[in-house]
Amino acid sequence: MKKLLVAVAALAAATGLAMAAEFAEVDADASGTVSMDEAMAAMPELTEDAFAAADADGSGDLSPEEFAALAG
């Protein structure tokens, strides 16, 4: 059981690091948020409605958490 927990923790850490790296690549201006234009450059199929739905706080940009939820 302990080995399984360690494996799950390692996978979660690796996934988190990969998502952080992906966010940094998409955040072209290094503002700490992803604009619609930046998101569209990474995901050309993204619609304005999908972006707006992911923008939970209505700021007009995606935080790292909002981006992670969108990128799934």
Side-chain angles (χ1 to χ4, degrees), residues 5-68:
L5 291 175
V6 170
V8 168
L11 179 60
T15 302
L17 291 175
M19 190 58 68
E22 183 177 337
F23 180 85
E25 291 173 15
V26 175
D27 181 17
D29 64 2
S31 65
T33 60
V34 170
S35 68
M36 176 69 177
D37 289 340
E38 290 170 328
M40 293 268 314
M43 298 177 263
E45 72 284 354
L46 182 67
T47 65
E48 287 186 31
D49 289 338
F51 184 89
D55 184 15
D57 64 6
S59 67
D61 293 315
L62 300 181
S63 68
E65 297 79 17
E66 291 169 333
F67 178 77

